[in-house]
Amino acid sequence: QPPQPNTNTNYTSIMMRLALLAALVSAAAGFSSFTPRNLVATNNGSNLSMKIYDWKRRTADESALHEEEFTLGNLRPAPGARKRKNRKGRGISAGQGATCGFGMRGQKSRAGRPTRPGFEGGQQPLYRRLPKFVGRPTGPGHEKEIFNLIKLDDLNAAAEGSTVNFDSLFESSAVTKSKHDIHKVVVGRGDFTAKGVTVQAHAFTKAARDAIEGSGGKCELLSKTTNAVLEA
């Protein structure tokens, strides 16, 4: 007859194994990376304390910030201000390995700059579409200031000593309506015969100013936004 197994010995061995396993589990839990440790870092020089990785500076306690004198030895960046650089081509775990996020094929995955800035694959790019839009778009050809031109011979019918501007000329039918809100006085084809008139406009050419002042008149410059008289 074979010998019977010792029940007490087997039970003791099982209990010892369970106790050892429980000790290992508790030790692993104590050193686990998921266990919060040192969540608060305190500065020895002041009462200022803030959470590590607290990138929201507005929620950090800065009540004791001005109690500490900053020197070259204790200057440090704000928590979360310095981000670790993204290391590409160093393995596939972060999704930036091998092809470094540029894909496997295609023009944009090749070395060197594949296209110039603003290139849209052959279609009309944005910087060439904007000048064609209705209104006042920005870009080349739309930065020049456009004036409505008033010729000096249009002022010949003005009475001596009167004040002349575009509105008065339009009421007297000396000029036609304009699609521009700012007006510039230029030399016309005819002779300037008016004497002693005060001309109001947003701009004057040098020759037109000399002609008006040479005949005893005066040039008054208007504001381009308020139409108020800026200078005489």
Side-chain angles (χ1 to χ4, degrees), residues 97-110:
T99 56
C100 303
F102 289 97
M104 298 179 64
R105 290 177 297 275
Q107 184 183 14
K108 294 182 180 180
S109 68
R110 312 302 183 192

Side-chain angles (χ1 to χ4, degrees), residues 90-98:
R90 299 298 187 272
I92 63 173
S93 60
Q96 297 294 324

Side-chain angles (χ1 to χ4, degrees), residues 120 124-143:
E120 298 183 15
Q124 195 78 304
L126 181 64
Y127 69 91
R128 294 186 62 183
R129 296 196 305 268
L130 281 180
K132 302 179 180 65
F133 289 167
V134 177
R136 294 180 59 87
T138 59
H142 293 273
E143 298 174 355

